[in-house]
Amino acid sequence: MTLRASDIVPISEARARLTELAEDVVGSGAEKVLTKNGASYVALVDARRLDYYHALEAEHANLVLAEDAVTGLKEALSGQFASDDELDEALGVTPVR
């Protein structure tokens, strides 16, 4: 979604217009970027959309873990294993001997 100039609001102005801005976000789905000293600071986003973003983030994490699991299984099936010392080093643990 592209931002319009009206979707970028100085935080000092947002204080006075918070209800109006929130209603616009919920009503039109247009996110608002609040600025502080001319730079992006925070955003107003519809809570349902935020939930959706969080669900997408969780799904992405699951896909990354699944890809890593598939890679590990392929390596194991081809006989590629890490030694105990390599595993300890990768995990950053000191082996108990």
Side-chain angles (χ1 to χ4, degrees):
M1 170 183 269
T2 58
L3 291 174
R4 303 169 302 191
S6 62
D7 294 332
I8 302 171
V9 181
I11 201 160
S12 58
E13 181 183 330
R15 286 184 188 109
R17 298 180 47 213
L18 185 57
T19 300
E20 171 195 342
L21 293 170
E23 287 174 357
D24 190 32
V25 167
V26 171
S28 70
E31 299 161 351
K32 303 291 184 187
V33 174
L34 306 185
T35 62
K36 184 175 182 179
N37 300 323
S40 296
Y41 189 57
V42 297
L44 289 179
V45 181
D46 185 302
R48 291 172 302 213
R49 186 173 297 209
L50 183 61
D51 289 342
Y52 175 71
Y53 291 159
H54 285 250
L56 284 178
E57 185 177 35
E59 184 63 25
H60 178 262
N62 289 336
L63 289 173
V64 169
L65 288 173
E67 288 174 3
D68 288 347
V70 168
T71 299
L73 288 170
K74 286 179 180 177
E75 289 174 359
L77 289 172
S78 69
Q80 299 175 10
F81 294 98
S83 69
D84 288 346
D85 291 336
E86 290 171 323
L87 184 58
D88 287 341
E89 184 179 333
L91 295 174
V93 297
T94 304
V96 179
R97 304 205 190 232

